Amino acid sequence: MGQRSDARPKMIKAARALIRERGYHATALSDVLELSAAPRGSVYFHFPGGKTQLAVEAAKAYARDQAEMIERAAEGVNSAVELVTAYVTRARENLVKSNYLEGCTIAPLVLEGAREPDLLNAGSAAFSHIIEGLAFQFAFFGMDRADARELAEVSVSGVQGALVTARALRSPAPFDSMLAILTDRAARLGASEPSEVGDHITTEETHA
């Protein structure tokens, strides 16, 4: 029995990295093939929809990773304020570590795909997935559901804005300023003790 090819996940990983750094239009399929070391025929075999389909899959993968990161972070903190801090700090550290080169995989699809419904829909679904995961964890820590949703939306929006301004200024200062405001807002929204649940459960489990 032949060995299963790993070209598809490698290409998605490469597309994520390139889109984060260069944007959607500046990312060529040839660059994805070069970075992933995938055979040239892999593109339309694994992604018959071409570059658009590859970008959509990259957005989905990025959103899944972000949601999983949020769940892991929630397991190691004791309040919504601490979770906000962990979420923002992770984005800050990743950007600084990349020397201000790597932004978000999803944002370029929204900004550059105004006339491509598939890209816009992928961006909307990806951001919604991240927001819902964050809101779920805020609610677990005792926050009212409406407030949890509000804080999640503001947190994701704040990180997106900080990614852009920090890259422009080549400074993490926008993250620091935004985090101070977010943590104050989290405290004011009344986060208290975690809900009376034995362990954290994932958003997927709620829909099982």
Side-chain angles (χ1 to χ4, degrees):
M1 186 174 181
Q3 186 175 8
R4 184 174 181 179
S5 171
D6 60 352
R8 191 176 193 278
K10 283 185 174 180
M11 291 176 67
I12 292 174
K13 182 178 180 180
R16 285 176 57 178
L18 292 170
I19 292 171
R20 290 180 71 178
E21 182 177 336
R22 305 178 183 180
Y24 174 71
H25 290 314
T27 296
L29 288 176
S30 58
D31 296 327
V32 173
L33 288 171
E34 181 179 357
L35 183 59
S36 64
R40 184 163 296 277
S42 296
V43 175
Y44 292 103
F45 177 77
H46 293 292
F47 306 99
K51 180 178 173 181
T52 298
Q53 183 182 357
L54 178 57
V56 168
E57 293 301 321
K60 290 178 180 178
Y62 180 83
R64 285 195 301 269
D65 284 354
Q66 285 287 297
E68 290 171 4
M69 178 273 290
I70 290 167
E71 288 178 2
R72 290 194 301 271
E75 292 172 356
V77 300
N78 298 305
S79 69
V81 171
E82 291 181 9
L83 180 55
V84 167
T85 301
Y87 175 66
V88 174
T89 299
R90 173 68 178 271
R92 179 189 188 278
E93 291 177 348
N94 284 346
L95 182 62
V96 173
K97 184 179 179 180
S98 74
N99 195 29
Y100 299 96
L101 292 176
E102 295 184 357
C104 172
T105 299
I106 309 170
L109 306 188
V110 176
L111 296 173
E112 300 176 40
R115 297 184 179 180
E116 298 188 49
D118 288 345
L119 295 183
L120 288 178
N121 291 337
S124 174
F127 276 129
S128 293
H129 189 60
I130 297 170
I131 290 170
E132 288 168 6
L134 201 52
F136 177 83
Q137 298 299 341
F138 289 152
F140 175 88
F141 285 119
M143 188 173 288
D144 174 85
R145 289 187 179 276
D147 290 341
R149 176 76 184 190
E150 175 192 307
L151 183 60
E153 289 176 346
V154 173
S155 297
V156 173
S157 299
V159 164
Q160 289 301 309
L163 282 171
V164 174
T165 51
R167 290 181 79 181
L169 299 174
R170 295 190 65 78
S171 167
F175 281 98
D176 301 333
S177 300
M178 182 262 297
L179 179 57
I181 294 172
L182 282 179
T183 52
D184 179 70
R185 184 59 176 164
R188 290 175 180 272
L189 285 175
S192 54
E193 295 298 320
S195 301
E196 294 181 0
V197 180
D199 296 301
H200 276 279
I201 56 177
T202 66
T203 52
E204 286 79 6
E205 287 174 323
T206 64
H207 299 298

